[in-house]
Every structure is written in structure tokens, then in C-alpha cells.
Amino acid sequence: MLRGTGDLGVVIERADGAVQIIEQQSRRSLATIQGMGDLSHASVVFSRDARYAYIFGRDGGLTKLDLLAQRIDRRILQAGNSIGGAISQDGRLLVAQNYEPGGIRVFDADTLAPLADIPAITSAGRPSKVVGLADLPGNRFAYALFEGGEIWLADLSQPRKPSVQRFAAGMQPYDGLVSPDGRHYLAGLFGEDGLAMLDTWHPERGAQRILPNYGRGQEKLPVYKMPHLRGWALTSRHAFLPAIGQHAVLVADRQSWQPTAKVPVLGQPVFVMVEPTHRRVWVNFAFPDNDKVQVIDTDSLQVITTLTPGKAILHMEFTARGDEVWLSARDSNEVVVYRTDTFEQRASLPARSPSGIFFTWRAHRIGM
């Protein structure tokens, strides 16, 4: 049958190295594709036409999946240990970020042919893990060096002749994200409090330190799982971010980057994600509260409901216009679908140890 790709998505089945292709409106699985390798820490980006999903696996695998033909189009092993990737603004370049051997590698999105290899070497001359890779306008990419304590800005407008700028960030950056307009790149710091922010419109100003009290130094509880910055909620006015080692979501002003409120929640938050309408923020938690999800009203800054969707809620994904949210319940072996306005459960789809859920609307967003 003829089918468009705008209503499709993929669900990572991490235990089996498999990917489900799902259809959102019918809330059903169309196919399960095996042979993806180690998906214990997988990420996905989409081609510009949303026909192909590119899966970056923990084992260094890069797989091009044809969503319409429901088969693997191409697959390579590009590194020994990888934790994700990104696609360029024009859709022509794929970039993988690597733990081993470190650095980033650039590939042709059509053929997966290698175009460039940029090692990550610290100022002391040692290799570094790369984290927090994000695409930027102009076929640029920002990422951080965990051991190097730096943010690198790579210009790949000429992919066979890349140029790189380096900026001091702080101790052990562990993740990063870019604002929806592609202007500001933020790196979280594992080794000290605070975050580093680079204005990619004016990189000559260097990386600025913001939220100096944010981080491990103020923790009052053991940290069971470090939050993912890519799961922050950025609205036009505020940033909602998981407090590290606390049962709270912090709210910061996006102009001054000063904290303005703290919303108490039942556990240690991992993902703090905003609906496309910016009306509500959804929060999942680290063990032992990872069977629950709480919803915060962005106007009142109050928790308005607590849901128990299943065991080990790992990831949340909204539909493009925000009418539904899909939740992966790893230990319940299912994906659960809720309405965002009434919090009514609409569907449950079987999946073996599901983790990441990625919809094709991501093809048209920066930093996704």
C-alpha cells in the first residue's frame, strides 16, 4: 500500500538489537527489523525526506533503515564504542560521536561513505571521549570533550576540509544540547557545579558559565542516574531542568539564566520534557521511582498529575502537535500511549525491553 512517512517512527528494542517501525495514528507496529547490533545506548536521526532512519548503536554501528521498504538499506561499523550521532542541516552529512577511539567521524548520508575523521585530542595530547554532539545551522556541529574539558565547534560546510574551534568549558562535560533555534549550545559538567554555554552566533566570546549552583556539588542524595540534557524542557521564557541528586525540577529564566523556582517532585528526575504546545512538562525518574511519571503545569509551576504507566519508564516522545505522548516501559515490555490533555491511556503496544522512541517529525528540527 502507498504510505507517507510523516506519521511513522521507530522504537528501540534494546535487548534484541531490533527496531520496531510504528505508525502513530493507528498506534500499531508495522514491522520489527533485526540485526542492529548493540542498542543499549542508541540514538536516531532521520533523513530530510523522513524516509530513512539512521541508528547509532553503542557498538559503533551506523545503520540506515528504510522505513517504507521496512529493511536495512546499509550498515557499517564505524567505531569501537559510540554513543550517538547527528545529521547536518542540509541532510547530506551524518556525524558519529565516539568514546573509542574518541573524536567524531563524518559520513555521506546516502552511501555511508566516510568523508572526514576528526580526533578529539586534549591539550595534554591525550584522546578524549566525545559527548553532547548537536547539529547547528550552516552544517556546523557542536560537541564536548569529557576528558578535555572543552567545547568544539566543527564547520563541515566543506566536509573533506573541516575546521574546528576550541573553547574551554569546565571539568568533565558529560552531555550537551542546543536551543531550538540553533543559537545556544549548553554543556553540563560532571566534575563541578554549573554549565557552560556557547553562543554559536558569536563564538568569539567563548563559553560562558551559567547556573553556577547546578550540579553534583550540591547533591543531598546518591545520584542513581545522571540526567540527560537532551531531555531538558526549553520554552520561550524558561528552562526546566532536572535537579541532580534532588527530588526537584529547577526552573531558570532563559534570558538571565538565573534560577527562578524549584518544583518538588517524587523522585530524581531524568528526562524533563515539554509538550510541543509548551503547556505542560512531563518528568520521568531514576530508580526506585522509575515506574512513575509526573506532569507539571508550566503556568502554575505545580505538579498536576502522577501516572504509573509501567515498570522502568526510560523515554518519552510527543507526537508532532502534542496530542499524545508515547512512553517506553522497559521492564513491562510495552510502549504506552497517553492523551496529553486528559491523561487517559489510549493504547499499549508490545515491545521487548523498549528504550528510545523517535518520531519522524525530528527530521525537520534542529538539534534532534
Side-chain angles (χ1 to χ4, degrees):
M1 62 175 292
L2 292 176
R3 173 183 280 117
T5 58
D7 202 43
L8 301 182
V10 297
V11 175
I12 303 295
E13 294 188 318
R14 59 186 293 165
D16 294 344
V19 170
Q20 280 195 37
I21 301 173
I22 57 90
E23 186 176 62
Q24 298 169 51
Q25 190 167 18
S26 65
R27 305 182 195 93
R28 65 190 179 103
S29 176
L30 302 179
T32 299
I33 314 300
Q34 306 284 343
M36 301 286 180
D38 182 354
L39 299 183
S40 59
H41 193 295
S43 65
V44 178
V45 298
F46 294 94
S47 62
R48 189 164 176 159
D49 62 3
R51 174 168 181 173
Y52 297 100
Y54 299 96
I55 297 100
F56 297 85
R58 189 60 187 255
D59 57 359
L62 170 54
T63 305
K64 181 181 179 183
L65 174 64
D66 189 328
L67 298 178
L68 294 181
Q70 300 177 1
R71 62 176 176 82
I72 293 175
D73 183 85
R74 286 176 173 82
R75 175 173 165 79
I76 61 172
L77 287 175
Q78 59 85 30
N81 190 339
S82 180
I83 61 160
I87 191 166
S88 61
Q89 185 180 36
D90 66 7
R92 297 178 183 274
L93 306 175
L94 293 170
V95 180
Q97 63 176 5
N98 295 319
Y99 272 10
E100 177 62 42
I104 64 172
R105 287 180 171 168
V106 185
F107 302 91
D108 181 277
D110 182 30
T111 65
L112 302 190
L115 299 176
D117 188 348
I118 306 176
I121 305 299
T122 70
S123 56
R126 300 188 181 93
S128 175
K129 301 181 187 71
V130 167
V131 298
L133 176 70
D135 59 282
L136 300 172
N139 285 7
R140 296 180 300 163
F141 294 82
Y143 53 96
L145 276 62
F146 181 79
E147 287 85 2
E150 293 181 330
I151 295 170
W152 286 20
L153 188 61
D155 185 342
L156 299 179
S157 55
Q158 300 183 63
R160 295 189 183 275
K161 296 180 180 180
S163 64
V164 175
Q165 295 174 276
R166 304 169 63 154
F167 307 91
M171 291 179 61
Q172 298 177 322
Y174 68 90
D175 198 5
L177 84 159
V178 64
S179 57
D181 59 5
R183 177 170 181 174
H184 294 103
Y185 176 81
L186 285 76
L189 302 177
F190 187 78
E192 57 182 299
D193 286 353
L195 297 100
M197 182 175 69
L198 180 69
D199 184 341
T200 67
W201 292 7
H202 298 285
E204 69 280 0
R205 298 174 181 171
Q208 172 189 355
R209 294 298 293 274
I210 61 171
L211 295 174
N213 295 321
Y214 179 74
R216 291 177 58 88
Q218 62 173 344
E219 68 186 51
K220 298 177 175 61
L221 296 167
V223 178
Y224 293 107
K225 183 175 176 62
M226 287 297 289
H228 288 266
L229 266 70
R230 203 62 59 93
W232 275 25
L234 297 181
T235 68
S236 57
R237 286 187 54 201
H238 296 114
F240 293 79
L241 52 149
I244 299 176
Q246 301 179 52
H247 292 179
V249 169
L250 304 182
V251 185
D253 181 272
R254 282 198 59 192
Q255 296 299 315
S256 66
W257 288 103
Q258 294 298 312
T260 58
K262 181 184 291 187
V263 182
V265 291
L266 61 84
Q268 292 183 19
V270 177
F271 283 104
V272 176
M273 303 182 70
V274 67
E275 296 174 13
T277 62
H278 292 185
R279 188 66 184 88
R280 289 166 288 266
V281 165
W282 293 60
V283 186
N284 72 334
F285 300 98
F287 178 86
D289 301 298
N290 56 355
D291 62 333
K292 299 179 181 65
V293 169
Q294 289 194 304
V295 183
I296 298 170
D297 180 273
T298 58
D299 189 30
S300 68
L301 302 183
Q302 299 292 318
V303 173
I304 55 176
T305 193
T306 299
L307 305 172
T308 309
K311 300 176 181 177
I313 302 300
L314 295 191
H315 197 249
M316 302 177 286
E317 180 82 334
F318 297 102
T319 52
R321 297 195 178 194
D323 58 315
E324 291 182 347
V325 61
W326 292 46
L327 311 169
S328 60
R330 182 195 62 196
D331 294 351
S332 298
N333 292 303
E334 63 180 343
V335 171
V336 187
V337 183
Y338 280 84
R339 286 181 54 160
T340 53
D341 55 353
T342 65
F343 314 118
E344 168 195 357
Q345 182 177 327
R346 279 188 159 177
S348 173
L349 289 72
R352 287 176 55 83
S353 299
S355 54
I357 304 171
F358 304 90
F359 292 158
T360 53
W361 57 255
R362 290 170 171 259
H364 313 297
R365 309 286 176 89
I366 292 172
M368 300 301 288

